């Protein structure tokens, strides 16, 4: 039993003539007749009464035709839906990104994505890294931009770029006039950091311990923008990733100082499920993101 037999059945029911039904199905009359007999044998019932007056549908035939029309309609719907997808079965990409990266990278990525994939829809989710990873594993999102390392056997991915951290200081601070700082300049400084749960907070705390800096007590930022505004207000210093610094010193109230030491950076990668069949799409997306970052941070290229 196959779809072609259902097409023959419906055509014959509508035309009540083997010759006309065969023409509509683009088949020979003997072929159509043989397939109808085969279908009757498989179902164990007579579908058509053959008489001198023509073909008459039996009650079993009427029931079979109704069911065949439903099946053919569903197949048509399936084909139409599949036609709206890319070759890998995707017509919508649900991308996750963590909050200290999303606002500074997504506005540059999304237009490029839409230009390269005009028929696809991109959905965005901004969450902390641990939540994104779990949603990725659970199939709630298709891919996620995450800070390395990402160690889970259910996901795969690749590093896209390295983003340095800069020390953000008020424009009137004693360090503000320097082009670059050695890590020793952090010794004794009090840095404002993000609240618990941000991977950037953990990295900043590690650097503080390594170079003798301390966390600013009594304040923890909910976002990088909050930290930046606190620096502008002269409340203290903080570490910001480079993408968050681009264009942010336009008001001339803040200075971003590169640090000459290993470890003042984060590595960003794109990750997706190993079981996904969208590897080709992810490779193309990786190239788009890497190209955007190379334009934003050419010195890192």
């Amino acid at each position: 039993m196959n779809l072609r037999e259902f097409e023959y059945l419906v055509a014959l029911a509508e035309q009540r003539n083997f010759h006309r039904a065969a023409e509509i199905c683009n088949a020979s009359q003997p072929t159509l007749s043989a397939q109808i007999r085969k279908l009757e044998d498989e179902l164990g019932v007579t579908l058509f009464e053959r008489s001198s007056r023509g073909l008459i549908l039996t009650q079993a035939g009427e029931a079979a035709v109704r069911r065949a029309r439903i099946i053919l309609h569903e197949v048509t719907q399936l084909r139409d839906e599949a036609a709206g997808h890319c070759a890998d079965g995707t017509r919508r990409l649900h991308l996750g990104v963590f909050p200290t990266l999303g606002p500074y990278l997504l506005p540059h990525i999304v237009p490029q994505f839409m230009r390269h994939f005009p028929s696809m829809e991109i959905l965005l989710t901004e969450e902390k890294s641990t939540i994104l990873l779990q949603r990725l594993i659970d199939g709630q999102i298709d891919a996620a931009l995450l800070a390395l390392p990402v160690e889970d056997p259910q996901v795969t991915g690749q590093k896209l770029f390295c983003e340095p951290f800069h020390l953000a200081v008020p424009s009137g601070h004693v360090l503000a006039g320097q082009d670059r700082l050695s890590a020793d300049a952090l010794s004794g400084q009090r840095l404002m950091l993000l609240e618990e749960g941000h991977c950037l907070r953990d990295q900043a705390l590690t650097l503080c311990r390594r170079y003798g800096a301390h966390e600013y007590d009594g304040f923890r930022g909910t976002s990088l923008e909050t930290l930046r505004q606190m620096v502008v207000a002269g409340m203290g210093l903080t570490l910001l990733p480079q993408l968050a610094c681009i264009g942010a010193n336009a008001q001339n109230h803040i200075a971003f100082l590169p640090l000459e030491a290993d470890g003042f950076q984060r590595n960003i990668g794109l990750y997706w499920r190993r079981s996904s069949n969208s590897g080709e799409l992810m490779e193309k997306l990786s190239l788009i993101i890497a190209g955007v970052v190379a334009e934003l941070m050419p010195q890192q290229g």
Side-chain angles (χ1 to χ4, degrees):
M1 195 177 303
N2 55 54
L3 292 177
R4 193 63 170 150
E5 291 174 356
F6 293 150
E7 291 174 354
Y8 293 155
L9 172 63
V10 171
L12 188 58
E14 292 174 348
Q15 299 300 319
R16 304 298 174 98
N17 181 280
F18 280 98
H19 179 71
R20 290 196 299 270
E23 285 185 339
I24 290 174
C25 294
N26 201 22
S28 68
Q29 183 174 328
T31 296
L32 187 142
S33 297
Q35 292 299 311
I36 292 296
R37 284 195 299 271
K38 177 175 175 288
L39 184 59
E40 288 180 322
D41 291 341
E42 287 187 59
L43 294 175
V45 295
T46 299
L47 301 175
F48 294 92
E49 290 182 13
R50 297 154 177 86
S51 70
S52 58
R53 293 178 300 170
L55 295 175
I56 301 172
L57 268 175
T58 65
Q59 290 185 1
E62 290 177 351
V65 169
R66 285 196 299 270
R67 184 66 60 183
R69 285 194 174 108
I70 293 172
I71 292 171
L72 292 173
H73 175 73
E74 289 297 323
V75 170
T76 299
Q77 293 290 98
L78 175 60
R79 286 171 175 162
D80 290 344
E81 185 173 330
H85 291 72
C86 294
D88 65 353
T90 304
R91 67 174 176 181
R92 177 186 295 117
L93 173 69
H94 196 159
L95 177 66
V97 62
F98 53 95
T100 60
L101 178 65
Y104 314 105
L105 186 57
L106 289 179
H108 304 281
I109 292 175
V110 172
Q112 291 297 319
F113 180 89
M114 295 174 66
R115 185 171 69 84
H116 284 82
F117 302 100
S119 63
M120 288 187 67
E121 178 185 6
I122 184 168
L123 303 178
L124 303 171
T125 291
E126 188 178 78
E127 269 293 358
K128 294 176 181 178
S129 297
T130 53
I131 298 175
L132 288 179
L133 181 58
Q134 190 58 55
R135 289 187 178 181
L136 179 60
I137 293 170
D138 292 343
Q140 297 177 32
I141 58 177
D142 302 309
L145 286 164
L146 299 169
L148 280 66
V150 176
E151 299 174 349
D152 191 290
Q154 299 180 72
V155 302
T156 186
Q158 57 180 292
K159 175 184 171 182
L160 297 182
F161 61 93
C162 173
E163 184 181 19
F165 295 146
H166 290 186
L167 183 66
V169 304
S171 56
H173 195 275
V174 64
L175 298 175
Q178 302 189 38
D179 293 330
R180 300 186 72 85
L181 294 176
S182 68
D184 295 337
L186 289 181
S187 180
Q189 299 289 350
R190 297 165 65 209
L191 301 184
M192 296 180 293
L193 304 180
L194 289 169
E195 63 184 359
E196 298 283 352
H198 291 276
C199 56
L200 184 55
R201 170 183 170 79
D202 298 333
Q203 291 175 284
L205 277 174
T206 298
L207 293 171
C208 285
R209 296 188 192 104
R210 183 184 303 171
Y211 296 105
H214 305 282
E215 181 178 5
Y216 186 98
D217 293 330
F219 175 79
R220 291 183 180 179
T222 57
S223 68
L224 291 185
E225 185 60 22
T226 300
L227 292 180
R228 189 180 71 83
Q229 292 295 343
M230 294 295 284
V231 174
V232 170
M235 296 297 295
L237 319 181
T238 193
L239 288 172
L240 294 179
Q242 185 172 342
L243 288 174
C245 301
I246 296 175
N249 58 350
Q251 296 176 328
N252 206 31
H253 296 308
I254 190 171
F256 302 109
L257 310 175
L259 291 152
E260 295 178 336
D262 293 334
F264 284 91
Q265 62 188 30
R266 63 181 180 182
N267 296 311
I268 306 297
L270 180 68
Y271 288 86
W272 58 95
R273 289 181 300 284
R274 288 186 184 276
S275 59
S276 171
N277 65 345
S278 57
E280 184 177 349
L281 173 62
M282 297 307 165
E283 294 289 343
K284 293 178 181 178
L285 179 59
S286 296
L287 290 175
I288 292 173
I289 297 172
V292 167
V293 173
E295 292 184 1
L296 294 173
M297 301 190 306
Q299 71 278 18
Q300 300 302 318

